[in-house]
Amino acid sequence: MSDEEAEPAGTRRLPTLDKTAGEADGTTPAAGDAPSTGAADHDRVRRFWSARRVPATLAALVLLAAAGLLLYDVAAVRADRPAMAWRRRLARELATRHLDNPWVLGAAAVAVVLGIWLIVLAVTPGLRQVLPMRPAAPGIRAGLDRAAAALVLRDRAMEVAGVQSVRMAVGRRKAKAHVVSHFRELDEVRADLDTSLGEGLRQLGLAHELRLTVDVRRPKKR
């Protein structure tokens, strides 16, 4: 009789799981380590796109008003009624004014500028205030407001000894700290700030690493 058959059913040992390749060669990852996403995954993270509600609404209202007015006038002419004065004047101006007329050139320039503006809005993401974060799970996207990131970094900088005041600016590609230190050597304060703010940037979990610049000065003499 085997050992397993001799043991009661309620106390029988469960079959053990096979070790993974990492555990077999003694390279078991720590329990607190998070799965790394890699630089290639970070490069695929894109910015958030703005809905562009205000420009889209304005363009739609202008086109709707112009099309509705034109259709009404065309229907009125079809019903044997005279065309509106603005339409008769527009047809007369288009027939008599040359293409090099200043008014024609000005209207064309305005139309080109508006068209370029709408195209730029259509092909650019917008939402410059939101910094994309590293994906924590497939299908989930997260973003961090630049003002919130600046506030977190400012609080970390204020914890460094010798710092009197901090003005933090966070952009899309770099973070800059303007620090006033009232004691300790400036080089020591700058070194501590580089370490503290660098760790703070890593803990923010941003998809694209920001370039850190620290400017430390003494208070202005009154």
Side-chain angles (χ1 to χ4, degrees):
M1 181 180 293
S2 63
D3 294 340
E4 291 187 357
E5 293 176 354
E7 292 180 354
T11 60
R12 181 171 297 177
R13 294 191 299 270
L14 295 177
T16 59
L17 298 177
D18 293 336
K19 292 184 178 181
T20 60
E23 295 172 341
D25 57 8
T27 58
T28 305
D33 291 346
S36 60
T37 54
D41 294 337
H42 296 177
D43 294 339
R44 288 195 295 267
V45 177
R46 297 292 183 261
R47 289 171 52 195
F48 290 87
W49 281 75
S50 173
R52 311 287 193 186
R53 292 185 177 90
V54 174
T57 301
L58 292 177
L61 290 177
V62 171
L63 292 177
L64 180 62
L69 187 61
L70 182 61
L71 288 176
Y72 174 81
D73 193 51
V74 170
V77 172
R78 292 289 184 178
D80 297 332
R81 299 185 60 181
M84 292 184 177
W86 67 267
R87 188 181 173 193
R88 296 196 301 268
R89 181 177 179 181
L90 179 60
R92 184 170 59 254
E93 293 293 337
L94 292 176
T96 56
R97 289 186 182 271
H98 298 285
L99 295 179
D100 57 351
N101 186 273
W103 287 100
V104 176
L105 295 177
V110 171
V112 169
V113 170
L114 291 177
I116 294 175
W117 178 60
L118 293 176
I119 292 175
V120 170
L121 292 180
V123 301
T124 54
L127 290 182
R128 300 174 62 89
Q129 293 297 324
V130 180
L131 300 173
M133 303 178 67
R134 289 193 296 267
I140 298 179
R141 297 189 63 195
L144 181 63
D145 189 79
R146 283 162 49 182
L151 182 61
V152 171
L153 296 176
R154 176 188 175 277
D155 291 342
R156 288 187 65 96
M158 289 297 299
E159 297 176 357
V160 176
V163 173
Q164 182 180 19
S165 64
V166 180
R167 183 166 54 89
M168 199 74 203
V170 176
R172 288 175 50 202
R173 296 180 177 86
K174 62 182 179 179
K176 190 169 185 178
H178 300 273
V179 181
V180 175
S181 175
H182 57 302
F183 71 93
R184 293 182 67 196
E185 294 294 331
L186 296 183
D187 293 338
E188 296 179 0
V189 176
R190 185 179 295 105
D192 291 346
L193 286 171
D194 288 337
T195 302
S196 178
L197 294 179
E199 181 64 23
L201 285 174
R202 286 188 292 271
Q203 292 180 358
L204 291 179
L206 300 178
H208 306 288
E209 184 179 357
L210 301 182
R211 187 172 66 255
L212 177 62
T213 303
V214 179
D215 180 24
V216 184
R217 298 180 181 179
R218 292 296 186 193
K220 293 182 178 180
K221 296 182 180 180
R222 297 181 179 178

